[in-house]
Amino acid sequence: MRQMILALLFLLAVFLPVLSQAGQPPAPCSTPEYRQFDFWLGSWDVYNKAGKKVGENRITLEQGTCVLHEHWRSAQGNTGESFNMYDAKRGVWHQTWVAATGNLLLLDGELRDGAMVLSGSQPLPQGGTMLNRITWTPMADGSVEQRWDQSTDDGQTWKTGFLGIYRRQAD
């Protein structure tokens, strides 16, 4: 009898967790769309096109696995942070960027041909609107290129305001 009780307890211990998960909705942020921007995760040194270091950036996965949190520090000491998340209700990626300079930037977009492309507009102090389009492209050598293009003529012409090459920091 004792062996039968032990066998029953063993079976319950093995199968109860599996049975309790059956029929439950998937965990939050577990669909493949939430992992599309994971190539940006890590600690990075950021260089301009000429090879000069312009800052450091650390991208962490937070709020379970729902949010990519950016922690930026420029070579001059300026700081900023962004919160990036796939918005399943709208079917887009969203970024909210905040900086110690008072800058706020709201961007939306998607993964296009392996690159994350987010865009949005912001009012200019002198009037009018600035369009921002930021593209993060993973490169074959493991680096990530970030290109920030801006337009003040409703997208007719664009100028690159920032081009950064992210290289992983040594552990």
Side-chain angles (χ1 to χ4, degrees):
M1 181 64 137
R2 181 178 173 178
Q3 288 179 338
M4 186 184 286
I5 292 173
L6 288 175
L8 181 60
L9 288 174
F10 173 77
L11 289 173
L12 283 173
V14 169
F15 290 108
L16 191 59
V18 174
L19 293 173
S20 69
Q21 293 176 3
Q24 290 187 5
C29 310
S30 63
T31 62
E33 293 85 0
Y34 286 94
R35 305 285 56 90
Q36 292 174 332
F37 209 178
D38 283 2
F39 65 82
W40 197 32
L41 289 169
S43 295
W44 306 88
D45 290 322
V46 183
Y47 299 88
N48 65 16
K49 197 165 65 168
K52 180 181 177 189
K53 186 174 175 181
V54 295
E56 295 182 355
N57 215 346
R58 186 170 48 92
I59 317 302
T60 57
L61 193 56
E62 299 181 13
Q63 299 302 316
T65 59
C66 295
V67 176
L68 276 75
H69 184 177
E70 173 186 15
H71 312 261
W72 166 256
R73 177 174 295 282
S74 76
Q76 293 79 34
N78 297 321
T79 60
E81 298 183 34
S82 74
F83 301 89
N84 305 266
M85 183 174 173
Y86 180 71
D87 183 347
K89 290 180 182 160
R90 295 187 300 140
V92 299
W93 271 87
H94 174 78
Q95 180 183 93
T96 297
W97 163 264
V98 294
T101 59
N103 190 20
L104 170 67
L105 191 59
L106 303 173
L107 306 170
D108 289 311
E110 64 188 352
L111 189 69
R112 292 186 203 153
D113 300 321
M116 185 59 67
V117 182
L118 304 179
S119 58
S121 63
Q122 66 186 133
L124 294 170
Q126 67 274 22
T129 301
M130 170 80 72
L131 297 179
N132 295 284
R133 180 180 61 211
I134 306 178
T135 304
W136 293 262
T137 305
M139 309 305 282
D141 65 358
S143 65
V144 173
E145 178 187 275
Q146 179 185 353
R147 176 182 297 274
W148 186 344
D149 296 317
Q150 299 174 313
S151 174
T152 55
D153 59 10
D154 203 27
Q156 294 178 33
T157 61
W158 293 88
K159 292 182 181 178
T160 300
F162 177 78
L163 178 62
I165 306 298
Y166 285 63
R167 299 199 193 289
R168 290 196 185 276
Q169 294 177 345
D171 292 330

